[in-house]
């Protein structure tokens, strides 16, 4: 029996790569995708997602949901515009247009419907902020009983964060920082939650060695396309020296490669005020959760190369 997965992403390059990866995993049935307008603008984020579903022949099987909630701390506009670049890539530009983003279901409603009516417990994969899941739980708390696990690319526990902004000490990770209030609320639901934080994603940079290996199998269409995706990240804001990591795609691979990860269980809390707003904290009085801190790097890279040989 296939594992049922609902994905909530926020439209960045890594999110879209994660969606593409999910669609290559034969053991997974993707039952819905919602787009949070955090690291993307909604319209190009929906268009990119729909085009990837079309590419994989899944546009009629996997419904899309429109996120309407906007977090406390906005992502930089230049980052949010990146999905527009994806829509102009040669393999995607001439695909039929996506549906009207404002005509598809609300993300929270879609999440409630798909989880509540699923034939077995659902794994929820979040590669952006967790807001839609919290809002879905607030709307219908009963869906908690049909959630098998929550895998969230978020947080930084024993390493520095990646938020560099006014009145912040750099301890937070962006997906948590965007909406720390709902992130803290999510902990209180005591879901079967696994963080894939910067502690482990720092082990998997997007480097020239991997991209070169990927380019050597460019006769496969997905390898060619994903190589183009990753190539757009080399000049990532704020500087050419800023390292782009496989944040979201590593979290996605956890669904298939759990035995390649080192995971700890801890009591966790989240700060909701400056100077460490959004910081994920290891405490003695927080909420129980798990977080990954290491991964078999070569096994992960090899898995990516094999999955994109299509």
């Amino acid at each position: 029996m296939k594992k049922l997965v609902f994905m909530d992403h926020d439209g960045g390059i890594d999110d879209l790569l994660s969606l593409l990866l999910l669609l290559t995993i034969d053991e997974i049935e993707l039952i819905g995708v919602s787009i949070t307008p955090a690291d993307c603008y909604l319209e190009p984020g929906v268009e990119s997602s729909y085009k990837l579903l079309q590419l994989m022949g899944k546009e009629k099987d996997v419904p899309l949901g429109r996120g309407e909630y906007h977090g406390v701390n906005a992502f930089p506009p230049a980052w949010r515009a990146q999905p527009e670049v994806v829509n102009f890539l040669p393999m995607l530009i001439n695909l039929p247009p996506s549906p009207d983003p404002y005509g598809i279901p609300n993300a929270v409603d879609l999440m409630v419907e798909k989880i509540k009516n699923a034939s077995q417990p659902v794994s929820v994969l979040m590669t952006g902020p967790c807001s839609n899941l919290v809002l879905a739980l607030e709307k219908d708390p009963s869906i908690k009983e049909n959630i098998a696990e929550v895998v969230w690319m978020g947080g930084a526990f024993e390493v520095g964060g990646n938020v560099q902004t006014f009145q912040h000490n750099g301890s937070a990770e962006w997906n948590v920082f965007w909406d720390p209030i709902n992130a803290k609320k999510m902990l209180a639901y005591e879901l079967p939650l696994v963080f894939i934080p910067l502690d482990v994603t720092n082990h998997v940079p997007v480097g020239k060695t991997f991209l070169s290996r990927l380019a050597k199998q460019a006769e496969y269409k997905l390898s060619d396309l994903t190589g183009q995706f990753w190539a757009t990240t080399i000049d990532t804001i704020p500087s050419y020296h800023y390292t782009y990591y496989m944040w979201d795609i590593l979290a996605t691979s956890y669904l298939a490669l759990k035995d390649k990860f080192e995971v700890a269980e801890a009591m966790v809390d989240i700060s909701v005020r400056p100077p460490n707003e959004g910081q994920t904290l290891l405490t003695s009085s927080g909420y129980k959760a798990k977080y990954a801190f290491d991964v078999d790097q070569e096994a992960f890279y090899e898995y990516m190369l094999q999955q994109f040989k299509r």
Side-chain angles (χ1 to χ4, degrees):
M1 184 178 293
K2 291 189 175 185
K3 177 183 293 187
L4 302 184
V5 174
F6 188 101
M7 181 184 193
D8 187 285
H9 73 76
D10 66 338
I13 297 294
D14 206 26
D15 298 87
L16 297 171
L17 282 160
S18 297
L19 173 57
L20 199 53
L21 175 61
L22 267 185
L23 293 168
T24 72
I25 303 175
D26 294 330
E27 300 79 20
I28 282 175
E29 180 181 343
L30 187 58
I31 63 172
V33 176
S34 52
I35 297 98
T36 297
D39 197 16
C40 72
Y41 293 102
L42 179 66
E43 297 83 357
V46 169
E47 183 178 357
S48 299
S49 300
Y50 186 73
K51 286 188 172 185
L52 294 181
L53 291 175
Q54 285 187 82
L55 188 71
M56 301 299 285
K58 295 291 186 180
E59 74 276 14
K60 295 181 180 179
D61 303 321
V62 182
L64 293 175
R66 175 191 75 253
E68 297 181 338
Y69 181 86
H70 291 271
V72 177
N73 301 299
F75 276 78
W79 294 4
R80 298 182 68 194
Q82 281 191 310
E84 197 68 86
V85 176
V86 168
N87 293 327
F88 283 83
L89 292 176
M91 204 177 294
L92 302 179
I93 189 170
N94 290 323
L95 290 175
S98 66
D100 176 4
Y102 301 97
I104 62 176
N106 171 278
V108 173
D109 293 340
L110 180 66
M111 190 177 285
V112 168
E113 175 199 344
K114 300 305 288 187
I115 294 175
K116 188 168 187 174
N117 297 325
S119 59
Q120 65 189 67
V122 174
S123 296
V124 179
L125 171 67
M126 300 185 299
T127 59
C130 67
S131 312
N132 283 332
L133 177 59
V134 174
L135 294 172
L137 286 161
E138 289 180 347
K139 181 171 184 175
D140 189 344
S142 72
I143 66 171
K144 178 182 176 181
E145 304 306 316
N146 213 28
I147 294 176
E149 64 181 342
V150 177
V151 178
W152 187 22
M153 193 280 115
F157 290 95
E158 298 182 278
V159 299
N162 58 9
V163 172
Q164 300 174 23
T165 191
F166 180 68
Q167 266 197 322
H168 202 279
N169 64 9
S171 60
E173 180 276 326
W174 262 103
N175 284 343
V176 185
F177 179 65
W178 190 77
D179 185 9
I181 295 170
N182 274 321
K184 188 177 177 73
K185 285 182 182 179
M186 185 184 65
L187 292 180
Y189 277 100
E190 298 186 315
L191 299 161
L193 171 62
V194 180
F195 286 90
I196 308 297
L198 300 187
D199 305 63
V200 65
T201 63
N202 285 351
H203 293 278
V204 285
V206 178
K208 186 175 181 180
T209 299
F210 171 78
L211 294 181
S212 177
R213 291 172 68 186
L214 186 63
K216 288 176 181 177
Q217 58 186 52
E219 70 271 19
Y220 298 98
K221 287 187 176 182
L222 289 192
S223 292
D224 188 26
L225 180 61
T226 55
Q228 293 176 39
F229 271 48
W230 268 306
T232 68
T233 69
I234 298 303
D235 66 346
T236 299
I237 309 294
S239 80
Y240 292 101
H241 304 291
Y242 183 79
T243 303
Y244 198 94
Y245 292 91
M246 296 193 183
W247 300 289
D248 300 341
I249 205 162
L250 183 67
T252 304
S253 77
Y254 178 82
L255 295 170
L257 298 175
K258 287 185 180 180
D259 61 329
K260 304 301 181 183
F261 286 77
E262 296 290 334
V263 177
E265 188 172 89
M267 301 301 288
V268 175
D269 208 345
I270 292 172
S271 173
V272 296
R273 53 171 289 180
N276 64 329
E277 185 179 12
Q279 183 182 7
T280 44
L281 304 163
L282 298 175
T283 70
S284 58
S285 57
Y287 304 92
K288 186 181 295 186
K290 295 179 180 179
Y291 72 97
F293 60 87
D294 201 2
V295 65
D296 183 331
Q297 184 189 64
E298 182 53 33
F300 165 73
Y301 284 133
E302 188 61 36
Y303 182 72
M304 293 299 100
L305 293 168
Q306 290 302 315
Q307 290 302 113
F308 292 135
K309 273 189 174 180
R310 300 195 176 198

